[in-house]
Each structure stands twice: as C-alpha cells, then as structure tokens.
C-alpha cells in the first residue's frame, strides 16, 4: 500500500546527497502546511495578516516539492520553475517587491519596475532552494528555520511590526512540531516541500519587512539568512568551477564535509545514528552567530555589510580547515601520506570511501 503512494521512496537511499540508511517518509512539509493552516483557522488575529495570502502563494512550490517527496521524481528544473511561479504570485498578490539593497547606485536601479521584479524573483527563489540545500542532516533545516524566523521576529518587535512577529511565531511553532520527530533520530524528514515552503515564506516576510521599515538594513537581513544563503552560493560556485550543472546534487556541502569529518575524527562511520545529530549540534552555533549579529545591527547598513563579508570569509576558511583536518586524520589512520594517498586509495577501498 505504501509503495502505491510512494512509488520511488527507497531510491532516496541511493541519492548522492543521502546521509540516512533506511527509507524514511519526507512529509514534514505536510506537517508545516497543516500547522500554518491551523494557525489561520484557529487564530482570528492571523487572518488579517499576510499569512493567508502568503500560504496561497506558496502552493506551487509546495505541490512540486510534495510530488518529489512522495517519489514521483519531479526534475530539478520543474521545481525551480514552481518556485519562480510562487515568487511571481507573491509579487502580484502580496505586493512583495525588493526595492533596495542598501547602496544608493544599486537602489536607483531597483527603483525601476523590471529590475525590482527580477531581483525579487531571484531572492525568493534563491531562499527557497537555499533552505532545501541545507536539508541534509537531522534537524539542520528545521533549526535553520527556527533561527531565521526567531531573528526576524526580534527585528519585527524592534521595529513595531507586531503582526509580522505573530506570523513568524506561527511559522516557528509549525517547524518546531516537525523537529520533534525529525531530531535527533530522523523519524520524519522535512522533505522538499517543507524546505521550499520554509525558505520561501521566510524570504517573503523579510522582503515585506524591508518594505515596511526603511531603516532596516538589507545586509542585516542577509546576516539573518546567512548560513543557507552561503551554503547555496558556494555550492553553485563549486559546481560551476567543476563544470557541472548548478542543479546537480553533490556531497560537498558544509554539513556533508562536517558529517564525514565527525565520523573520521570521532565516531565510527557505521554509527550514523549518532554522528548525524552530533554534526547538526556542532553546526548550530555557526548558524546562529550571523543571525544574532543581524539582529544587533539591524539598522546599521555599513556595519552589517562588513559583517557579511567577514562571515563569508570565515565560512570558507572553516570549510577548508574542517576538510583538511579530516584528510590528515584519514591518511594517518590508514597509514598513507598525502603524497601517496590517492595512489594507495586505489588498492584500499576503505580509504577511498572515507576520504573527504
């Protein structure tokens, strides 16, 4: 019976980016959708906010993600098209338009209709896919959503946008429900639908807050979204540099590198039930730090931009340092040197399998 409705679910274990070892339902997005719908129906004060229309705009990307989650294999380009469709709906239905980036010359361009529309679509679509890309460890995407929503809620309270803060609390409650079964054991996954909707909804809210509050720095908002955005930007750059499609999945995201490093340095590779949530816990401070900084400098555009540059540099440095440490440990464990490691790896399947 399950196979009838989830025809291809076992193939998830063979996906290049997979980190789990047993078939697991990816219906966390359904739980988030039900949570948001329940909030709208049960809390009258939310019915006058942006949440009902925002939920309507998210339908295309939710449906595309849900079809993928239930095993119907929606090509990445079609899921991208669905997120673009949702973004266009947000512009038309909600009037969600990004009109400034915090620099006068660029803001003059974004004052024009076409650049503002294209920029908004890129931002909303990018945020949706950024959250989907960090959905690789138990609880990672959910905690990223909680951190981002919590930081935005704090900024909303600082700027007198109480209705927006209330919407964000509803988002946090919906995501928290999924985390109860997603972390630490991974009994239910967020799925594409959950990650796409989470990123899209939070990005729409952020753009609306920029519209309502002229003193809110766009770069402070980038800090709030920093970890998913940085992971996506570096993933796209890495794939292009390797002459691969930006839509082609790989196992070289920060969380993949960290997971494999935790397994090599501290925990046996066979014990993924422990290494997976441990890697998530290690990442939490790194994810929260830029968001906290974004709250602190919410109205200081120049400082926020400088912190974005600093955070980006530290992200790349830390990525390379973690990968290098795991490589050295892997070579030491199996009695090879960096100079001969690649040659000997051909004769030692385990070295090839554990190499970062």
């Amino acid at each position: 019976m399950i196979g009838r409705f989830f025809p291809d679910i076992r193939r998830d274990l063979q996906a290049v980016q997979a980190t789990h070892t047993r078939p697991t339902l990816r219906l966390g997005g359904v739980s988030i959708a039900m949570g948001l719908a329940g909030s709208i129906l049960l809390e009258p004060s939310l019915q006058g906010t942006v949440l009902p229309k925002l939920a309507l705009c998210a339908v295309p990307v939710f449906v595309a993600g849900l079809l993928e989650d239930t095993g119907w294999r929606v090509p990445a380009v079609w899921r991208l098209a669905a997120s673009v469709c949702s973004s266009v709906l947000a512009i038309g239905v909600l009037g969600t338009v990004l009109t400034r980036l915090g620099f006068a010359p660029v803001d003059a361009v974004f004052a024009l209709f076409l650049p503002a529309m294209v920029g908004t679509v890129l931002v909303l679509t990018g945020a949706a896919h950024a959250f989907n890309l960090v959905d690789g460890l138990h609880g990672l995407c959910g905690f990223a959503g909680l951190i981002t929503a919590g930081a935005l809620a704090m900024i909303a309270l600082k700027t007198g946008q109480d209705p927006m803060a209330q919407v964000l609390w509803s988002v946090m409650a919906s995501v928290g429900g999924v985390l109860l079964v997603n972390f630490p054991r991974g009994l239910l996954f967020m799925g594409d639908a959950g990650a796409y909707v989470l990123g899209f909804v939070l990005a729409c809210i952020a753009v609306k807050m920029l519209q309502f509050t002229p003193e809110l720095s766009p770069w402070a908002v980038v800090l709030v979204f920093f970890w998913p955005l940085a992971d996506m930007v570096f993933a796209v750059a890495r794939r292009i540099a390797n002459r691969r499609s930006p839509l082609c999945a790989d196992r070289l995201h920060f969380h993949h590198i960290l997971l494999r490093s935790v397994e090599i340095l501290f925990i046996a590779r066979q014990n993924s039930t422990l290494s997976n949530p441990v890697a998530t816990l290690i990442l939490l401070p790194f994810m929260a730090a830029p968001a906290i900084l974004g709250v602190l400098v919410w109205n200081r555009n120049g400082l926020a931009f400088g912190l974005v540059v600093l955070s980006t540099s530290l992200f790349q440095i830390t990525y390379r340092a973690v990968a290098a440490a795991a490589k050295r440990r892997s070579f030491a464990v199996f009695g090879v040197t960096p100079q001969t490691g690649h040659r000997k790896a051909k004769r030692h399947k385990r070295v090839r399998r554990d190499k970062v």
Side-chain angles (χ1 to χ4, degrees), residues 39-40 43-55 94 161-168 170 205 208 212:
S39 298
I40 296 171
E43 181 54 55
S45 61
L46 285 172
Q47 297 171 9
T49 65
V50 300
L51 187 56
K53 293 181 179 179
L54 188 53
L94 282 170
Q161 300 183 49
D162 292 354
M164 202 65 81
Q166 189 176 10
V167 171
L168 288 162
S170 298
I205 292 173
K208 294 299 290 184
F212 292 153

Side-chain angles (χ1 to χ4, degrees), residues 272-285:
S272 61
T273 56
L274 179 59
S275 60
N276 194 306
V278 166
T280 297
L281 291 175
I282 293 173
L283 280 175
L284 284 183

Side-chain angles (χ1 to χ4, degrees), residues 72-320:
W72 294 98
R73 296 306 173 199
V74 181
V77 66
W78 286 106
R79 283 177 274 143
L80 179 64
S83 61
V84 170
C85 182
S86 287
S87 301
V88 172
L89 280 176
I91 294 173
V93 175
L94 282 170
T96 304
V97 181
L98 182 66
T99 58
R100 57 191 176 89
L101 291 181
F103 296 115
V106 180
D107 292 348
V109 175
F110 270 74
L112 303 175
F113 176 78
L114 185 59
M117 299 303 105
V118 173
T120 302
V121 170
L122 287 175
V123 166
L124 299 184
T125 300
H129 285 266
F131 273 79
N132 189 47
L133 288 180
V134 298
D135 186 24
L137 298 178
H138 299 343
L140 188 61
C141 183
F143 282 121
L146 285 183
I147 290 170
T148 304
L152 288 175
M154 294 179 68
I155 294 175
L157 293 175
K158 284 175 174 285
T159 58
Q161 300 183 49
D162 292 354
M164 202 65 81
Q166 189 176 10
V167 171
L168 288 162
W169 292 333
S170 298
V171 174
M172 293 175 70
S174 300
V175 175
V178 177
L179 276 175
L180 292 177
V181 288
N182 177 241
F183 183 84
R185 297 183 61 190
L187 301 179
L188 178 70
F189 287 168
M190 181 77 71
D192 284 16
Y196 284 143
V197 168
L198 183 57
F200 174 77
V201 166
L202 291 176
C204 284
I205 292 173
V207 173
K208 294 299 290 184
M209 289 174 62
L210 285 169
Q211 288 180 285
F212 292 153
T213 311
E215 62 268 29
L216 175 58
S217 166
W219 294 102
V221 175
V222 172
L223 283 172
V224 169
F225 283 82
F226 178 79
W227 194 268
L229 292 181
D231 184 78
M232 179 188 68
V233 170
F234 279 111
V236 171
R238 179 179 64 248
R239 293 167 187 175
I240 292 176
N242 292 332
R243 298 182 180 180
R244 301 180 62 193
S245 167
L247 300 179
C248 183
D250 60 32
R251 286 179 58 89
L252 294 174
H253 293 280
F254 198 115
H255 54 269
H256 286 134
I257 296 294
L258 180 63
L259 174 64
R260 289 149 69 188
S261 300
V262 168
E263 292 172 341
I264 291 171
L265 296 172
F266 305 110
I267 301 173
R269 188 175 181 84
Q270 292 77 13
N271 196 0
S272 61
T273 56
L274 179 59
S275 60
N276 194 306
V278 166
T280 297
L281 291 175
I282 293 173
L283 280 175
L284 284 183
F286 296 94
M287 296 168 61
I292 293 172
L293 291 175
V295 175
L296 295 176
V297 300
W298 68 272
N299 60 346
R300 303 177 66 181
N301 193 62
L303 181 56
F305 176 75
L307 289 172
V308 169
V309 174
L310 176 62
S311 298
T312 302
S313 301
L314 292 176
F315 182 96
Q316 184 70 347
I317 291 171
T318 306
Y319 179 97
R320 293 181 180 276

Side-chain angles (χ1 to χ4, degrees), residues 327-348 351-352 355:
K327 272 189 177 181
R328 287 194 299 269
R329 176 61 176 170
S330 180
F331 286 136
V333 167
F334 297 107
V336 296
T337 66
Q339 290 74 26
T340 62
H342 293 292
R343 184 170 63 253
K344 289 189 177 183
K346 295 179 181 179
R347 302 194 303 271
H348 296 277
V351 174
R352 183 175 61 227
K355 186 173 57 124

